[in-house]
Amino acid sequence: MNLPEEAAPADNLLRDNDPAEGAAIQRLLDKPLSIGDLREHTRRVATPLQIAEKDLVRLLVFQMGEELMAWKAFEVHQVTRATRVHRIPHRSNTIIRGLCNLDGTLMLCADLARLLELSVNNGPSKENEQPWMIVLGDEKNRWAVEVDSVKGVVTVPQHAFRRPPITVNASLACYTTNLVPFDQGTAALLDMQRVVSGFQAALR
């Protein structure tokens, strides 16, 4: 006995509807695509998916020695050329460098490289290149840190963030929340609250 061939999906759809609906669906399926329709469908397929604004994170990327690091841009209050740091008698140490004057405001300056236990050279990374200072912290507790160079502000989608591997320097890993790839490399995203807490602990 010959079994009937399995009906195509469109045939099943037509069979389940009344004749009028079936005819309308058949006309829709048989309607040829115009050149304009083909172009519009091609444009939609070729257009990259738009990332929601809430999923984008703005980061200030900077460099210390060979390391690229970043803070979330809203956590940074100021970026300026480095200025002279004055030691504080009996308070300055390996992490607390002293006081600096930025635009008429005295501010504590800390050594981020020593806090993170990074191996970096003292002084500018290139001959005659002046380092930068980044100011972070809240209104009542701001700190200045000196860095070799500032790469600028980049916008990165949240889904691109990665967990730091276990091979990362232990001290750096303690203050790092994520690794963030961008067009110039991969930066360690630092936790501002942990960094400030580390500075405060060194001040005691």
Side-chain angles (χ1 to χ4, degrees), residues 35-175:
I35 297 298
D37 291 334
L38 289 173
R39 288 175 178 172
E40 176 62 17
H41 293 328
T42 301
R43 184 192 66 80
R44 290 181 181 180
V45 171
T47 301
L49 293 176
Q50 297 298 316
I51 301 174
E53 185 69 26
K54 65 180 180 179
D55 295 326
L56 297 175
V57 183
R58 287 168 56 82
L59 306 174
L60 177 74
V61 180
F62 59 95
Q63 186 162 1
M64 299 187 71
E66 300 298 322
E67 298 287 345
L68 286 172
M69 286 172 281
W71 269 302
K72 292 181 179 178
F74 72 85
E75 297 174 335
V76 176
H77 298 283
Q78 185 179 359
V79 178
T80 184
R81 287 293 186 180
T83 187
R84 182 180 178 184
V85 179
H86 302 270
R87 289 182 58 82
I88 307 172
H90 311 297
R91 299 303 297 272
S92 295
N93 52 46
T94 56
I95 293 178
I96 306 302
R97 296 185 58 198
L99 288 171
C100 61
N101 187 331
L102 293 179
D103 297 329
T105 301
L106 286 178
M107 197 171 303
L108 283 167
C109 180
D111 194 322
L112 180 62
R114 289 188 181 275
L115 179 71
L116 303 179
E117 298 183 3
L118 299 178
S119 298
V120 297
N121 296 325
N122 293 325
S125 57
K126 295 181 181 179
E127 187 178 359
N128 299 324
E129 180 179 343
Q130 185 181 5
W132 292 80
M133 276 184 170
I134 299 175
V135 179
L136 62 150
D138 56 34
E139 292 290 338
K140 297 181 180 179
N141 187 26
R142 289 190 176 175
W143 293 80
V145 297
E146 189 174 301
V147 302
D148 290 336
S149 63
V150 175
K151 300 300 183 182
V153 175
V154 300
T155 302
V156 183
Q158 184 79 43
H159 65 75
F161 289 19
R162 304 197 306 264
R163 284 183 171 273
I166 58 175
T167 54
V168 171
N169 170 293
S171 293
L172 179 58
C174 179
Y175 295 99

